[in-house]
Amino acid sequence: MKRIITTAAVLTIAFFNAQEVKKDSASSKEIQEVTMTKKVFQKKADRMVFDVANSPIAKGTTGFDLLKETPMVSSTDNATLKILGKNASIIYINGRKSNMEPEAVIEMLKNMPSENISKIEVITMPSSEFQVEGNQGIINIILKKKPTDGTNGNIRFEDNQGYFNNPSGSITLNYRKNKLGISGNVNSGKYTQQQYYILSNGNDSYKLTSEGTVTGPRTYLGGYINFDYEINDKQNIGFSYNHRDRWGNNFRSNLYNETTKYSGGNSTITDRTRTENLTKDNSKNDAFNLNYELKTDDKGSKLSLSSSYLHYNKTEDNNNSTIILDENKNEVNVDSRFMQKTPLIINNYGFQADYVQKLKKDYTLSFGGSYNSTKTDSDTYYENLIPPSGKDDDQSNHFIYTEKITGLYITLEKSFGEKLSTKIGTRFENTNANGNVTDKNLEVKRNNNNFLPYVSVNYTPTQNHNLSYSFSSRVARPAFWALNPARTYLTKFNYIQNNPFTKSETYYNNELMYMYKNSYFVTASYNYTSNASEQVPLHGIENETGEKVLAYIRDNYGDKQEIGITFGMQKQFFKGIWSANHSLTLGHNIYKGSVDGDPIVTKNKVTFTPKNLDKSGNYFQFQMSNNIRLSAKKDWFLGINYFYLSPLQIEIGELRPIQSADISVKKIWNNWTFNLQLRDAFGTNKNKIYGEDGSGNYNTVNQNQYNRQLVFTATYNFGNQKLQKVRKAEGANEDIKNRTGN
């Protein structure tokens, strides 16, 4: 229930952010007077480089806040980071994937002092050596390297006042002595999300509505510890352990449902019910990683070996009751009551080997491989609690899924002086999977081979002009929880149906970019997706009772095309007092395909009306980010951010306009940083969706997540601030972690 329409809507909205740059200048009439100011923002062969050390905004803040100010990176919910035009971003530390689940990565960034960051690299089109899926981009954080021994740390407290009050806190410690580095973090907090839904579906003869609240309290406790040891000048070995517990023991929804029938211009309310869901949703995540690195020469050639283990255990117990009401909304009788358990256990072993060889004449050859073995186990149990009571065999199933992914890649990069560089490569991936419902005749087998080419060209004719083109192809596999053939109910006749037969999507991404004076840019992109999948709403009728249902069926509906052009400017005014980061995106989306039924439920039980997805639509989005220095001492800052998204056509319907304004004030005092933010100041960040199936049926979603929040953050940095950070080691199973759904 927690993944209902929100997931489909939010994943479709790409919030594009503009660039922030400091103008490069170097002028002198005499050699003695020459002064050089480094470029803050540069375009390199396959990435954009943000030189944090030379940016005035990188003082007294956190890594997460700094990333929100980074060109091409944005965050609209303060919980995720997106790259220009990408579905998601993957965080790397010093060229290696962070060995954590997504939520823990964000917590780490919120507790990382920005003064420890040297550069941030934004890779919009990852080349073949990167393990990413679909349309993902990469944010690579390069930490400063100071050889000083000692200890330092960071203590952070945050209080978020929205619909509920949600406090959190963390402590981070770093230690370095000679060749040994150790870092650790412990973080904890609680967050209760309040949502208000108004859902409706029907046609010209009837209308079903559901209206009410969904309250999701959660508490979490997590942390990590990393060890890095320099064996000698050429060899390093590292180990990391990450742990995270999350408890959601009182997740509750309360919805009033009403059925209205229309005849001869008259309307009659025929049914009134109330549906309650009470859910316990707990998860535990343990990840281990061992990494070895060998430098084979002094030119940058190196060998990296990694092995990882991931254990993920989630329990979800839900009690659902639908109660019949009279015309005064008083309780009359219990219509249905059931209990459902949907556990998910994931065990993954991963291995990875990478080798980079620096060759003569500015050639670089990279090749390597990876292997992941995953087993998921979900024993879903469904029991009716009122007559006819007992286990429902149709909706109970024990689903075991095993998946083995073998990947090989090779890339060749060539630099033709300072003006021209190219990179070509390809990646081969074999996916061998088998899914089986042990107590039913349902089996899924896959053995897919994918060749995924990559090419990029970067041309810099003069200091003020840069032109680049990239092509990348990727496979996106469905999340493990989405493969389990379980059904999640919101009301008695409104539910989500997962699908073990969902195929992997294949993405073909093109990007052409022009940049002028490292301050202005234009990006044109074209992305084609085959076997595109989504949770598609289908209208149906239960054949035995004649009751109407609305089911969100996850399936591969067809193909998707996304065309966009973004105009961006990132510039500083009044000697750096005002940093402006603005962008305008114009886009056009095309969807081709249809979904005709539920692949799990047989047609003799429910008859669905096929949904035609042949549609297209234009949209535009404007976003601005402003950072204003209020004092000469550089200890007071004002932030003003705003975005507007026009109506956007997505698979499930039309997303109505969204806008939001955020205001923040930051104060730096010695080793303390205080930040006060007002998010969604005018309460306009709400989701509204209207969709039709082409046969006269419609469905609407009106969702208020109460995004207006007042957030106060206090951060204290202590110890030796020049301490070198521990080397982060890449996990061999990071793409697997992103599919746990945690």
Side-chain angles (χ1 to χ4, degrees):
M1 179 179 62
K2 299 175 285 301
R3 298 190 185 95
I4 200 167
I5 306 108
T6 309
T7 303
V10 172
L11 290 180
T12 317
I13 308 169
F15 294 102
F16 306 101
N17 207 4
Q19 321 304 316
E20 182 167 2
V21 192
K22 184 174 181 181
K23 185 178 180 181
D24 177 50
S25 62
S27 60
S28 177
K29 293 183 180 179
E30 297 182 9
I31 294 180
Q32 292 88 340
E33 299 177 0
V34 171
T35 59
M36 297 293 290
T37 301
K38 291 184 178 179
K39 297 178 181 179
V40 174
F41 188 47
Q42 300 181 64
K43 178 68 173 71
K44 292 195 174 181
D46 63 346
R47 63 197 65 191
M48 313 297 294
V49 181
F50 184 34
D51 193 345
V52 174
N54 292 283
S55 172
I57 67 172
K59 304 295 180 184
T61 186
T62 67
F64 185 82
D65 290 330
L66 186 59
L67 284 173
K68 292 194 296 184
E69 300 288 343
T70 299
M72 292 190 168
V73 179
S74 65
S75 176
T76 58
D77 56 7
N78 208 51
T80 58
L81 292 163
K82 291 184 178 294
I83 300 175
L84 176 69
K86 301 297 174 183
N87 293 340
S89 60
I90 306 300
I91 302 298
Y92 275 55
I93 306 292
N94 289 338
R96 302 185 179 279
K97 286 184 181 178
S98 56
N99 194 26
M100 304 178 195
E101 59 178 304
E103 287 184 6
V105 170
I106 296 300
E107 289 300 321
M108 177 194 69
L109 295 174
K110 288 181 177 179
N111 295 290
M112 178 186 293
S114 58
E115 288 85 354
N116 288 348
I117 300 176
S118 174
K119 295 179 181 179
I120 296 174
E121 297 179 340
V122 180
I123 306 173
T124 59
M125 299 282 283
S127 55
S128 300
E129 66 266 30
F130 293 104
Q131 293 188 61
V132 297
E133 295 206 352
N135 197 28
Q136 294 175 337
I138 291 174
I139 300 173
N140 182 30
I141 299 172
I142 300 177
L143 301 175
K144 293 179 180 178
K145 295 183 178 180
K146 299 291 184 181
T148 309
D149 289 345
T151 303
N152 71 8
N154 169 279
I155 299 175
R156 177 180 173 274
F157 169 79
E158 178 176 294
D159 188 72
N160 182 313
Q161 181 61 58
Y163 193 94
F164 294 99
N165 185 263
N166 300 296
S168 63
S170 69
I171 182 170
T172 303
L173 292 173
N174 305 295
Y175 171 79
R176 179 165 291 278
K177 180 66 174 179
N178 299 326
K179 297 182 177 182
L180 176 65
I182 304 174
S183 68
N185 169 274
V186 177
N187 57 81
S188 182
K190 71 172 186 177
Y191 189 84
T192 302
Q193 183 179 27
Q194 183 75 1
Q195 302 179 69
Y196 194 86
Y197 278 101
I198 302 176
L199 310 174
S200 69
N201 65 91
N203 53 36
D204 58 3
S205 64
Y206 80 98
K207 179 182 180 180
L208 300 176
T209 62
S210 298
E211 181 174 355
T213 59
V214 178
T215 306
R218 282 185 173 138
T219 304
Y220 66 87
L221 173 64
Y224 63 86
I225 185 167
N226 298 317
F227 296 90
D228 179 58
Y229 183 73
E230 182 181 335
I231 301 173
N232 52 45
D233 292 341
K234 293 186 177 182
Q235 299 182 80
N236 283 80
I237 189 169
F239 172 79
S240 65
Y241 168 65
N242 305 279
H243 176 82
R244 187 172 181 82
D245 281 312
R246 188 183 66 187
W247 302 274
N249 291 326
N250 194 25
F251 200 102
R252 183 185 298 270
S253 71
N254 191 337
L255 299 175
Y256 169 70
N257 314 301
E258 193 173 82
T259 302
T260 303
K261 291 187 178 180
Y262 302 96
S263 178
N266 298 318
S267 62
T268 304
I269 299 176
T270 59
D271 294 291
R272 296 179 180 90
T273 61
R274 180 167 54 85
T275 300
E276 295 179 343
N277 280 284
L278 181 61
T279 305
K280 294 182 179 180
D281 177 11
N282 302 327
S283 66
K284 179 179 291 187
N285 193 314
D286 291 285
F288 302 83
N289 175 251
L290 181 64
N291 174 266
Y292 170 78
E293 184 175 288
L294 170 66
K295 298 177 182 178
T296 57
D297 59 33
D298 57 1
K299 298 178 181 179
S301 302
K302 62 180 180 180
L303 170 69
S304 296
L305 303 174
S306 294
S307 61
S308 299
Y309 171 68
L310 169 69
H311 176 73
Y312 176 78
N313 191 339
K314 180 179 180 180
T315 59
E316 183 173 333
D317 300 342
N318 178 52
N319 283 276
N320 178 290
S321 299
T322 298
I323 302 168
I324 298 174
L325 308 177
D326 62 20
E327 60 183 10
N328 297 318
K329 299 183 181 180
N330 297 315
E331 296 185 5
V332 176
N333 196 7
V334 177
D335 184 41
S336 67
R337 180 170 290 159
F338 66 83
M339 181 268 292
Q340 185 180 35
K341 295 179 179 291
T342 313
L344 176 62
I345 301 173
I346 300 175
N347 286 286
N348 169 268
Y349 299 88
F351 306 92
Q352 182 176 333
D354 302 280
Y355 184 70
V356 178
Q357 178 64 56
K358 295 291 184 178
L359 304 174
K360 297 179 179 179
K361 298 182 179 181
D362 291 324
Y363 281 98
T364 301
L365 178 67
S366 303
F367 57 90
S370 60
Y371 175 78
N372 274 283
S373 177
T374 307
K375 181 179 180 180
T376 72
D377 190 331
S378 182
D379 192 359
T380 301
Y381 178 79
Y382 184 105
E383 180 182 353
N384 290 304
L385 300 179
I386 62 173
S389 59
K391 178 182 178 182
D392 186 328
D393 291 327
D394 286 341
Q395 297 195 58
S396 299
N397 57 73
H398 188 183
F399 182 66
I400 297 177
Y401 181 76
T402 58
E403 181 182 80
K404 297 179 181 180
I405 303 174
T406 303
L408 299 171
Y409 75 87
I410 184 169
T411 65
L412 182 64
E413 185 174 0
K414 166 64 175 175
S415 177
F416 299 90
E418 297 182 355
K419 292 187 176 182
L420 179 65
S421 61
T422 62
K423 190 172 187 178
I424 60 172
T426 188
R427 186 175 185 88
F428 167 79
E429 291 183 352
N430 171 262
T431 304
N432 193 324
N434 182 74
N436 182 39
V437 177
T438 60
D439 51 352
K440 297 177 182 177
N441 186 24
L442 193 156
E443 187 173 12
V444 180
K445 289 187 176 182
R446 296 189 180 95
N447 192 351
N448 302 325
N449 296 319
N450 297 97
F451 287 92
L452 307 168
Y454 170 87
V455 62
S456 70
V457 180
N458 188 67
Y459 180 55
T460 308
T462 67
Q463 179 178 327
N464 293 330
H465 302 273
N466 178 271
L467 183 66
S468 63
Y469 168 77
S470 297
F471 169 80
S472 177
S473 51
R474 293 289 178 181
V475 171
R477 300 169 183 86
F480 294 118
W481 61 264
L483 292 172
N484 177 31
R487 181 181 296 180
T488 303
Y489 284 89
L490 181 62
T491 67
K492 182 179 179 181
F493 303 112
N494 193 324
Y495 61 86
I496 295 174
Q497 177 67 63
N498 292 333
N499 181 7
F501 301 104
T502 305
K503 301 176 183 177
S504 298
E505 302 171 288
T506 304
Y507 285 75
Y508 303 93
N509 305 318
N510 294 267
E511 180 182 271
L512 179 65
M513 174 181 286
Y514 168 72
M515 181 168 289
Y516 177 66
K517 289 188 174 180
N518 288 320
S519 294
Y520 308 92
F521 76 92
V522 179
T523 299
S525 63
Y526 172 73
N527 302 319
Y528 175 81
T529 307
S530 63
N531 283 329
S533 66
E534 187 52 86
Q535 285 178 349
V536 178
L538 292 184
H539 296 260
I541 298 177
E542 289 192 352
N543 297 332
E544 291 184 1
T545 64
E547 297 284 358
K548 296 179 174 60
V549 301
L550 179 67
Y552 285 81
I553 308 299
R554 179 171 296 278
D555 206 351
N556 301 95
Y557 63 83
D559 300 331
K560 175 173 62 176
Q561 299 179 67
E562 300 167 292
I563 305 168
I565 182 168
T566 299
F567 304 89
M569 177 202 74
Q570 193 286 336
K571 198 170 180 63
Q572 295 178 14
F573 301 94
F574 310 115
K575 298 182 180 180
I577 293 177
W578 173 27
S579 297
N581 193 343
H582 300 168
S583 69
L584 173 66
T585 298
L586 307 176
H588 181 72
N589 294 338
I590 303 172
Y591 307 95
K592 294 287 186 180
S594 64
V595 176
D596 59 6
D598 188 333
I600 305 301
V601 177
T602 59
K603 291 185 178 181
N604 64 344
K605 293 185 177 181
V606 181
T607 300
F608 287 101
T609 301
K611 183 175 179 64
N612 182 8
L613 287 170
D614 290 350
K615 60 182 70 175
S616 63
N618 301 316
Y619 71 93
F620 73 89
Q621 194 218 322
F622 173 71
Q623 183 162 329
M624 67 176 185
S625 176
N626 301 278
N627 189 288
I628 303 170
R629 191 178 74 229
L630 300 177
S631 64
K633 294 181 180 180
K634 301 181 180 181
D635 58 352
W636 282 97
F637 296 87
L638 173 67
I640 302 175
N641 302 327
Y642 173 79
F643 79 85
Y644 175 84
L645 177 66
S646 72
L648 174 67
Q649 185 67 54
I650 58 179
E651 288 94 333
I652 66 174
E654 182 184 75
L655 179 69
R656 300 298 168 82
I658 298 178
Q659 59 181 321
S660 179
D662 304 333
I663 303 171
S664 65
V665 177
K666 180 173 67 176
K667 167 64 177 177
I668 301 174
W669 179 63
N670 297 327
N671 290 329
W672 286 91
T673 300
F674 303 98
N675 199 355
L676 183 65
Q677 303 176 59
L678 178 58
R679 300 173 186 163
D680 191 22
F682 304 107
T684 54
N685 192 353
K686 302 175 183 179
N687 291 326
K688 297 180 180 180
I689 301 172
Y690 177 83
E692 296 180 348
D693 66 0
S695 300
N697 298 312
Y698 69 89
N699 67 283
T700 69
V701 178
N702 190 333
Q703 179 195 33
N704 184 1
Q705 294 181 296
Y706 299 98
N707 289 310
R708 182 161 54 190
Q709 301 165 358
L710 185 65
V711 183
F712 174 74
T713 306
T715 306
Y716 177 69
N717 296 315
F718 60 89
N720 178 8
Q721 298 303 310
K722 296 183 179 181
L723 183 66
Q724 180 181 351
K725 284 288 185 177
V726 173
R727 183 180 65 93
K728 298 291 183 180
E730 176 179 359
N733 55 8
E734 299 303 322
D735 54 336
I736 299 299
K737 294 179 184 179
N738 294 323
R739 296 166 60 200
T740 62
N742 198 32

